C-alpha cells in the first residue's frame, strides 16, 4: 500500500482526462491520472475516427488515445493503473482509495470518468460493434452515406440521431418497441414531417445479422411486441440510441448530480458543487458527447484547477500577512 500526492488528481483517461493532464502538467501541477476500468475511454472501442481536428486521413481511436497519453506523459503526467473505490471530499487535500489499496491525495480533483452508451444486450450486438452497429450517429453516420440505416430507440436521442442521419442517408428507419415516442413534441413533429424517415412501431431488435466475410451488418431481425410476428429489415447501419449512463455512482452523496445522474457544473466552467473539484467530458455533458468537446472541457477543468490553487495560495498569503506578530521569546536561559 502506498500514498500518492499531487496538486491535481485526475480520474479517467479519455480525451477529457488526458487533456486536463496535458494542461495541468504544463502548469507545473505534476498531475496523476488514475486510468480506471477503461483506460483511454470510449475511443479505445472506436475504429475509424474522421472528425478529430488535425488529421486529414482517417485515424484509429486507440491510436489517438495512445498519442494523447504519450503527450501527457511527455510533459510530466504520471499514469496509474487503478480504479477508485472510495472517496473523501470533506476536506483538502481530497483523499481517494484505490482498488489496489493505494491512497491518492490531491489538492484539486478532476473527474473525467465519462459515460457509457446503453446497449440492447442481445448476443449479436457485441460481435457487430464497429461492423455496422454503433451508438453514435454523429460519430459514425458519415460512413453510411447513401446507405439504408436504422435507429433503435424512442427518446430525444433516438429522434435527434434519426434526423441527423438524413444528412447522409435517404432511407432512415426509426424502430421503437412502443406505439408512442418519449421524445419532445417538437422533435416528434420534425421526425414525422421528414420524407426520408419511416417509423416502425412496437418492434424489438432480436438480432443484428452479419453478412459474413467483410460484409458487416446486412439486416435486423425484428419481432412485434404485440403480436410476436417476426420480420427482417435490410439495413447496412444500425444505431442504438437508448441513452447513456454517466459514471457518477461513486460520487452520489458527495457531489451534486442532475436528475439523469450527470455531474452538475457551474455554467461556463468545470466547477462542481465542492470547491476544488472539477468535472469534464461526458460525465458532465449529456448534449454533445464528442471527443473534441470532451478535450475542450478537460482544458477548462485544468485551467479552473490552476486558478483555484492560485487563489487559495493568495488567500493563505494574505492571512499570514495579517496575523498579529508573535511576542519575542525570552532569550534568557532558565536554570
Amino acid at each position: 500500500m502506498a500514498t500518492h500526492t499531487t496538486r491535481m488528481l485526475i480520474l479517467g483517461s479519455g480525451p477529457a482526462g488526458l487533456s486536463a493532464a496535458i494542461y495541468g502538467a504544463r502548469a507545473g501541477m505534476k498531475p496523476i491520472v488514475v486510468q480506471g476500468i477503461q483506460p483511454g475511454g470510449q475511443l479505445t472501442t472506436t475504429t475509424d475516427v474522421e472528425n478529430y481536428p488535425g488529421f486529414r486521413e482517417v485515424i484509429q481511436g486507440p491510436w489517438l488515445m495512445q498519442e494523447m497519453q504519450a503527450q501527457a506523459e511527455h510533459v510530466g503526467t504520471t499514469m496509474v493503473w487503478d480504479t477508485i473505490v472510495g472517496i473523501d471530499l470533506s476536506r483538502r487535500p481530497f483523499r481517494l482509495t484505490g482498488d489496489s489499496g493505494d491512497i491518492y491525495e490531491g489538492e484539486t480533483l478532476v473527474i473525467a470518468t465519462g459515460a457509457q452508451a446503453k446497449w440492447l444486450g442481445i448476443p449479436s450486438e457485441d460481435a457487430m460493434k464497429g461492423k455496422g452497429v454503433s451508438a453514435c450517429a454523429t460519430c459514425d453516420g458519415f460512413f453510411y452515406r447513401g446507405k439504408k440505416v436504422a435507429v433503435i430507440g424512442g427518446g430525444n436521442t433516438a429522434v435527434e440521431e434519426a434526423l441527423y442521419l438524413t444528412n447522409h442517408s435517404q432511407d432512415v428507419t426509426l424502430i421503437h418497441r412502443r406505439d408512442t415516442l418519449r421524445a419532445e413534441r417538437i422533435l416528434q413533429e420534425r421526425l414525422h414531417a421528414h420524407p426520408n424517415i419511416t417509423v416502425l412501431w412496437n418492434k424489438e431488435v432480436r438480432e443484428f445479422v452479419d453478412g459474413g466475410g467483410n460484409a458487416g451488418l446486412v439486416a435486423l431481425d425484428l419481432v412485434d411486441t404485440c403480436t410476436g410476428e417476426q420480420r427482417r429489415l435490410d439495413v447496412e447501419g444500425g444505431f442504438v440510441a437508448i441513452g447513456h449512463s454517466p459514471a457518477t455512482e461513486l460520487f452520489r452523496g458527495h457531489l451534486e448530480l442532475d436528475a439523469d445522474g450527470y455531474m452538475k457544473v457551474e455554467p461556463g466552467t468545470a466547477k462542481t458543487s465542492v470547491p476544488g473539484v472539477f468535472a469534464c467530458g461526458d460525465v458532465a455533458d449529456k448534449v454533445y458527447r464528442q471527443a473534441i468537446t470532451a478535450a475542450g472541457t478537460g482544458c477548462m477543468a485544468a485551467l479552473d484547477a490552476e486558478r483555484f490553487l492560485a487563489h487559495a495560495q493568495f488567500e493563505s498569503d494574505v492571512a499570514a500577512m495579517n496575523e498579529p506578530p508573535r511576542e519575542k521569546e525570552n532569550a534568557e536561559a532558565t536554570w
Side-chain angles (χ1 to χ4, degrees):
M1 182 185 297
T3 298
H4 310 268
T5 60
T6 177
R7 300 187 72 201
M8 179 188 287
L9 180 61
I10 301 170
L11 306 188
S13 53
L18 292 178
S19 295
I22 291 166
Y23 274 80
R26 295 183 74 250
M29 290 191 281
K30 298 182 179 178
I32 293 175
V33 173
V34 182
Q35 299 194 65
I37 59 175
Q38 189 178 31
Q42 293 185 68
L43 271 183
T44 58
T45 63
T46 302
T47 52
D48 293 347
V49 176
E50 200 171 34
N51 57 358
Y52 198 87
F55 304 95
R56 61 181 173 182
E57 302 293 339
V58 175
I59 59 174
Q60 299 300 300
W63 177 86
L64 178 59
M65 297 319 301
Q66 289 172 9
E67 291 298 299
M68 281 192 183
Q69 179 176 328
Q71 183 180 4
E73 291 177 308
H74 176 72
V75 292
T77 299
T78 299
M79 307 295 297
V80 178
W81 293 77
D82 206 347
T83 302
I84 299 301
V85 295
I87 60 175
D88 180 2
L89 307 182
S90 62
R91 63 183 183 275
R92 291 179 52 239
F94 305 115
R95 186 179 175 88
L96 289 76
T97 305
D99 185 59
S100 65
D102 284 5
I103 302 298
Y104 301 89
E105 293 183 340
E107 294 181 45
T108 59
L109 173 64
V110 174
I111 299 169
T113 47
Q116 295 293 325
K118 295 179 181 177
W119 295 91
L120 300 177
I122 58 179
S124 57
E125 193 171 46
D126 279 341
M128 295 303 295
K129 288 177 184 176
K131 296 174 61 179
V133 175
S134 169
C136 182
T138 310
C139 309
D140 300 328
F142 184 76
F143 298 111
Y144 297 89
R145 300 182 301 279
K147 298 181 179 180
K148 186 174 181 179
V149 297
V151 177
I152 300 103
N156 283 351
T157 300
V159 174
E160 288 169 350
E161 298 224 327
L163 290 166
Y164 172 80
L165 285 166
T166 60
N167 294 316
H168 305 296
S169 171
Q170 300 298 308
D171 193 340
V172 179
T173 302
L174 181 72
I175 300 167
H176 188 38
R177 60 182 178 175
R178 299 187 177 91
D179 59 1
T180 57
L181 297 172
R182 303 185 309 277
E184 296 172 1
R185 178 59 57 185
I186 189 170
L187 289 175
Q188 294 191 43
E189 291 172 356
R190 292 174 185 166
L191 179 88
H192 294 307
H194 205 290
N196 296 334
I197 299 178
T198 302
V199 180
L200 294 182
W201 303 104
N202 301 314
K203 300 291 187 293
E204 283 187 346
V205 177
R206 287 295 174 88
E207 185 178 358
F208 294 100
V209 181
D210 189 345
N214 296 321
L217 182 71
V218 295
L220 305 178
D221 280 347
L222 308 176
V223 62
D224 192 292
T225 57
C226 297
T227 66
E229 178 186 357
Q230 298 183 26
R231 61 168 292 188
R232 177 166 287 192
L233 176 69
D234 293 335
V235 296
E236 294 175 87
F239 295 86
V240 180
I242 57 176
H244 287 73
S245 297
T248 55
E249 193 60 37
L250 182 66
F251 306 101
R252 288 190 181 277
H254 300 275
L255 293 167
E256 191 173 354
L257 309 177
D258 71 9
D260 297 315
Y262 286 83
M263 202 75 67
K264 275 193 173 183
V265 295
E266 180 182 315
T269 77
K271 300 174 184 177
T272 70
S273 56
V274 172
V277 179
F278 307 91
C280 55
D282 289 7
V283 75
D285 172 21
K286 66 170 73 174
V287 178
Y288 302 104
R289 294 194 298 264
Q290 300 296 301
I292 186 61
T293 53
T297 57
C299 164
M300 291 167 59
L303 295 177
D304 284 344
E306 182 184 2
R307 290 165 185 160
F308 173 84
L309 289 176
H311 183 69
Q313 184 61 51
F314 174 77
E315 288 189 330
S316 175
D317 291 345
V318 169
M321 289 170 58
N322 292 332
E323 281 184 4
R326 294 181 180 178
E327 291 185 9
K328 243 184 176 181
E329 292 184 6
N330 190 347
E332 294 180 6
T334 302
W335 299 95

